[in-house]
Amino acid sequence: ANYQSAVLSPFTWILLMVPLPTGTVVIAACRLLVGGVGMYAFLRRIGLGGWASAVGGIAYLLSPVTIVWLEHPLANVSPWLPWMLLAADRAVEGGLGRLGALAVVTALTLLGGHPHLALYVTTLAAGYAVAAAIAQPRPLPRIAGVVGALGLGGCIAALQILPFLEYATASRTMAMRSGYALNPFVAPVGVLMTGLVPNAFGHPGDANYAGPLNYLEQLDYAGVSVLLLAIVGLAMAGRSWRPWFFAGVVVAGCLAIYGAPGVHHLISALPLVRSASLVRLAFLVVAAVAILAAFGVDALVRPCDRVARARITTVSSVAVLAVAVVVIGFIEWQHAFLARNTLSEPVREASLACVVIAVATAAVMRLRVRHGLPGRLAALALGAIVASELFLFARGFHPLIDPALVFPSTPELARLQQDRGIHRVVAAGGGLLPNSALVYGLQDPRWYDGIGIKPYGELLDAAFLWGDSFHAALRFESPLFDLLNVRYVLGPPGLTLPRDRFTPIDGMTASLYRNERAMPRTFLVDHHRVESGNAARRLLRDGGIDYRREVLLETAPAVVDRPDAAPAPSMIGEASIRRYESERVDIETEAPGRRLLVLSDTWFAGWRATVDGVEAPILRANVAFRAVPVAAGRHLVRFEYRPASVRTGAWLSGLALAATALLLLSGLVRRVRPDARRA
């Protein structure tokens, strides 16, 4: 599901070309290298030396926020962050080719498959470009060019953006989050400690994590050595605007991440950011710290006078002392918490390592400025400390596991896979989490982490218990289990379900039941009622209608499309699925009179229906499903997913690609002509 959201990202194409598990390793390496090389190129672009740029590239390549999210779609976006800065810096100078390059990198960022992080990265690049333009003559035309390039990049990505926006307007999760008075996705202030000691609240790999947030979300660790170098870089910045810009990014990002009053209210008032995870601004904060660290290494490598040497010594010493004080203070402050969660010893060891790394970093700085250690040796030593610290953190975080162990085969799952019919499966007790059933070729009526639309989510509320990320199966007595085509329920050993509805399947270690009342995925009805909203959901929840003969419609059908009442249930007719695919469903119907064909798949904009090749209306049925009127006799009903957002996006992307190609070609021609004249 993660990669489906980023199908147009070049990183995802690797998975289509390289088989698993090799593809997993290749895609991870490409993500890391693209980010690290991009950071090196950007730092060289803004005038930093090779050694300083290399340290900055390593700091970003192995940055923990990149490492911990490595198999998530966020990692499709983060590698482009330094390339966005590089392209924005070049675009400010003007030139059609440079503007075209910025458009291309913007499109790659937006196609990464994670809209919130793409928005953050694009905003960072735009802010950097504005600051760079203000530092040069005639800033307004430069800013206008950058804005145009960013917009052109957005148009290139329209093929993915427009369908996403269409979904977002119908998303249940987006609707819920938009209703928040304040963005709730912030971190407690105590999590700041992870900026120095990443495992201050334990580690999932050690089965002792007790932090207030998901481990991935709470991590804003850039590396203690990187942080110390960043402090030195800012102390030596002088009047150079770039270090101060990135220092502002760090401050603003931290204020937003930790919900500072005023800043939190301002952000919550922004429509596009109100529902975004502010904690993930850590990507920008850590990147900015890595850039400042490169400035610090550059200041150390270059020759410096007595005043500069004294400043570096003082700043580094004070920083090390501050690190030690904060670490010791945290251990004392959280003594009871650490003892209660058996974290005292691990956190003390991690804190000691933090102080040792800080002391080692400061010692190399002192050797350079006080004892004449050659600049290259100092940079090499600092790079080694940075790489070692970050590599040790990353080591073992993503072990390569045999896919057969990640998604193991069990007798229960094998039994479910033997039933080739179109039906749904629900697991109780935390097993077979939503979306994971897809791996086994099974269908689950639920979703994970917000990919469902609002009407369908509200319908599921009547049969399941909504948690933070998915619906838990608890209310097995609900008649909605039947309507949802739930034929099997899988649960832990000892699960007991009503025997009048569920038949146990013997010979299994876990509990496996067959729902004898499950409705087929598609069927004909001869009655309808117009109901919507809460009234319709109550009727469905409480069994107020006979699903087998009646359907609830949001709007009344045309008179000619209204079903005829059958003399008996056996004379309603039959409907059978002949072809079932993600974007196409063929159903054959046969009935002695007019009927309504119900398909218990989600109603959504973009679906089209035809009856014997003639377009037919799709009515919203039973709150969230589809219904099509069919006449008497035998007919073929075809559902096809043909959203206008995809067609419009494809045209817009094609035109934008053509315009970008012209920009790049024009830039190339202008570069070749001066070279020809000089020749």
Side-chain angles (χ1 to χ4, degrees), residues 528 530 553 555-564 594-596 617 619 629-630:
H528 78 282
V530 178
L553 300 178
T555 57
V559 175
V560 296
D561 292 332
R562 294 175 183 175
D564 300 326
R594 287 196 305 269
R595 301 290 186 260
L596 284 171
L619 307 173
V630 292

Side-chain angles (χ1 to χ4, degrees), residues 596-653:
L596 284 171
L597 172 69
V598 178
L599 176 63
S600 296
D601 281 354
T602 310
W603 185 98
F604 189 70
W607 280 100
R608 302 288 182 266
T610 59
V611 178
D612 298 329
V614 179
E615 188 167 355
I618 299 181
L619 307 173
R620 183 175 293 188
N622 292 333
V623 176
F625 299 140
R626 308 175 217 156
V628 172
V630 292
R634 184 184 293 250
H635 301 283
L636 177 65
V637 181
R638 175 169 295 168
F639 292 90
E640 292 184 290
Y641 188 54
R642 297 288 182 266
S645 59
V646 173
R647 295 195 300 271
T648 304
W651 276 103
L652 191 55
S653 293

Side-chain angles (χ1 to χ4, degrees), residues 348-370:
R348 284 196 181 95
E349 292 177 358
S351 300
L352 177 61
C354 164
V355 174
V356 169
I357 292 169
V359 171
T361 305
V364 173
M365 296 183 194
R366 187 176 184 86
L367 286 174
R368 166 59 183 157
V369 299
R370 290 297 184 187

Side-chain angles (χ1 to χ4, degrees), residues 322-616:
V323 167
V325 169
V326 170
V327 167
I328 294 172
F330 173 80
I331 292 175
E332 293 300 320
W333 175 44
Q334 295 289 347
H335 174 75
F337 166 81
L338 297 175
R340 185 169 61 252
N341 292 280
T342 64
L343 288 172
S344 300
E345 191 62 29
V347 171
R348 284 196 181 95
E349 292 177 358
S351 300
L352 177 61
C354 164
V355 174
V356 169
I357 292 169
V359 171
T361 305
V364 173
M365 296 183 194
R366 187 176 184 86
L367 286 174
R368 166 59 183 157
V369 299
R370 290 297 184 187
H371 301 285
L373 181 68
R376 290 185 178 181
L377 288 179
L380 185 61
L382 291 170
I385 292 173
V386 168
S388 299
E389 178 187 3
L390 297 181
F391 182 79
L392 287 174
F393 169 83
R395 181 176 176 270
F397 195 89
H398 296 285
L400 188 61
I401 302 173
D402 187 335
L405 298 178
V406 178
F407 293 104
S409 178
T410 68
E412 294 80 10
L413 292 172
R415 173 64 178 80
L416 293 174
Q417 290 171 320
Q418 291 173 6
D419 190 335
R420 299 294 184 179
I422 306 298
H423 59 269
R424 295 190 173 103
V425 176
V426 166
L432 201 64
L433 293 175
N435 293 4
S436 60
L438 294 169
V439 178
Y440 298 97
L442 305 174
Q443 297 184 27
D444 191 317
R446 304 167 297 162
W447 71 79
Y448 178 81
D449 207 12
I451 60 171
I453 67 170
K454 185 178 179 181
Y456 185 63
E458 292 173 341
L459 180 63
L460 292 184
D461 286 343
F464 301 91
L465 179 64
W466 171 252
D468 292 334
S469 299
F470 62 91
H471 286 87
L474 293 176
R475 304 164 186 164
F476 298 102
E477 73 284 356
S478 172
L480 273 175
F481 267 80
D482 308 335
L483 180 62
L484 287 167
N485 184 222
V486 177
R487 187 178 297 173
Y488 295 99
V489 175
L490 176 66
L495 177 68
T496 302
L497 298 181
R499 295 299 181 92
D500 61 334
R501 297 181 57 187
F502 296 96
T503 301
I505 298 177
D506 298 327
M508 304 294 169
T509 302
S511 299
L512 182 60
Y513 287 87
R514 179 185 176 94
N515 181 9
E516 303 297 346
R517 299 185 187 180
M519 295 285 290
R521 184 66 59 88
T522 187
F523 51 92
L524 296 173
V525 295
D526 62 339
H527 290 80
H528 78 282
R529 196 187 311 182
V530 178
E531 291 285 359
S532 61
N534 289 333
R537 287 190 290 273
R538 279 194 296 268
L539 284 170
L540 296 172
R541 179 196 64 192
D542 300 334
I545 68 168
D546 182 358
Y547 299 147
R548 290 162 176 76
R549 299 202 64 175
E550 188 175 20
V551 63
L552 299 181
L553 300 178
E554 188 178 51
T555 57
V559 175
V560 296
D561 292 332
R562 294 175 183 175
D564 300 326
S570 60
M571 300 181 66
I572 293 177
E574 296 182 351
S576 57
I577 295 176
R578 297 305 183 199
R579 180 174 177 177
Y580 190 92
E581 300 172 354
S582 298
E583 298 178 5
R584 176 177 167 179
V585 181
D586 288 350
I587 302 171
E588 190 175 274
T589 67
E590 185 173 7
R594 287 196 305 269
R595 301 290 186 260
L596 284 171
L597 172 69
V598 178
L599 176 63
S600 296
D601 281 354
T602 310
W603 185 98
F604 189 70
W607 280 100
R608 302 288 182 266
T610 59
V611 178
D612 298 329
V614 179
E615 188 167 355

Side-chain angles (χ1 to χ4, degrees), residues 132-452:
I134 292 174
Q136 300 186 38
R138 302 178 64 244
L140 291 181
R142 300 175 189 272
I143 294 173
V146 169
V147 171
L150 293 174
L152 185 60
C155 291
I156 294 175
L159 180 57
Q160 183 163 296
I161 291 176
L162 292 187
F164 166 74
L165 293 177
E166 182 180 51
Y167 154 73
T169 59
S171 165
R172 185 199 197 200
T173 300
M174 293 289 285
M176 291 171 57
R177 293 182 177 183
S178 298
Y180 296 147
L182 287 176
N183 186 313
F185 303 104
V186 296
V189 177
V191 173
L192 263 170
M193 188 60 197
T194 59
L196 296 176
V197 183
N199 297 332
F201 299 98
H203 190 282
D206 298 328
N208 62 3
Y209 180 66
L213 299 175
N214 182 301
Y215 183 81
L216 277 65
E217 301 280 9
Q218 60 95 38
L219 201 66
D220 55 5
Y221 174 66
V224 177
S225 55
V226 177
L227 183 60
L228 261 62
L229 288 170
I231 293 171
V232 170
L234 188 60
M236 303 301 293
R239 295 184 178 181
S240 176
W241 67 269
R242 285 186 175 89
W244 294 107
F245 171 83
F246 289 108
V249 171
V250 173
V251 172
C254 288
L255 290 175
I257 290 171
Y258 295 100
V263 175
H264 194 191
H265 287 76
L266 176 62
I267 289 177
S268 297
L270 301 175
L272 294 178
V273 189
R274 180 180 299 170
S275 61
S277 173
L278 300 182
V279 176
R280 294 174 187 175
L281 283 166
F283 278 87
L284 274 58
V285 171
V286 170
V289 171
I291 293 170
L292 288 172
F295 277 99
V297 175
D298 194 66
L300 287 165
V301 171
R302 297 181 187 276
C304 52
D305 56 23
R306 182 176 59 82
V307 174
R309 290 197 297 269
R311 182 182 302 172
I312 292 173
T313 303
T314 302
V315 168
S316 60
S317 299
V318 171
V320 171
L321 180 61
V323 167
V325 169
V326 170
V327 167
I328 294 172
F330 173 80
I331 292 175
E332 293 300 320
W333 175 44
Q334 295 289 347
H335 174 75
F337 166 81
L338 297 175
R340 185 169 61 252
N341 292 280
T342 64
L343 288 172
S344 300
E345 191 62 29
V347 171
R348 284 196 181 95
E349 292 177 358
S351 300
L352 177 61
C354 164
V355 174
V356 169
I357 292 169
V359 171
T361 305
V364 173
M365 296 183 194
R366 187 176 184 86
L367 286 174
R368 166 59 183 157
V369 299
R370 290 297 184 187
H371 301 285
L373 181 68
R376 290 185 178 181
L377 288 179
L380 185 61
L382 291 170
I385 292 173
V386 168
S388 299
E389 178 187 3
L390 297 181
F391 182 79
L392 287 174
F393 169 83
R395 181 176 176 270
F397 195 89
H398 296 285
L400 188 61
I401 302 173
D402 187 335
L405 298 178
V406 178
F407 293 104
S409 178
T410 68
E412 294 80 10
L413 292 172
R415 173 64 178 80
L416 293 174
Q417 290 171 320
Q418 291 173 6
D419 190 335
R420 299 294 184 179
I422 306 298
H423 59 269
R424 295 190 173 103
V425 176
V426 166
L432 201 64
L433 293 175
N435 293 4
S436 60
L438 294 169
V439 178
Y440 298 97
L442 305 174
Q443 297 184 27
D444 191 317
R446 304 167 297 162
W447 71 79
Y448 178 81
D449 207 12
I451 60 171

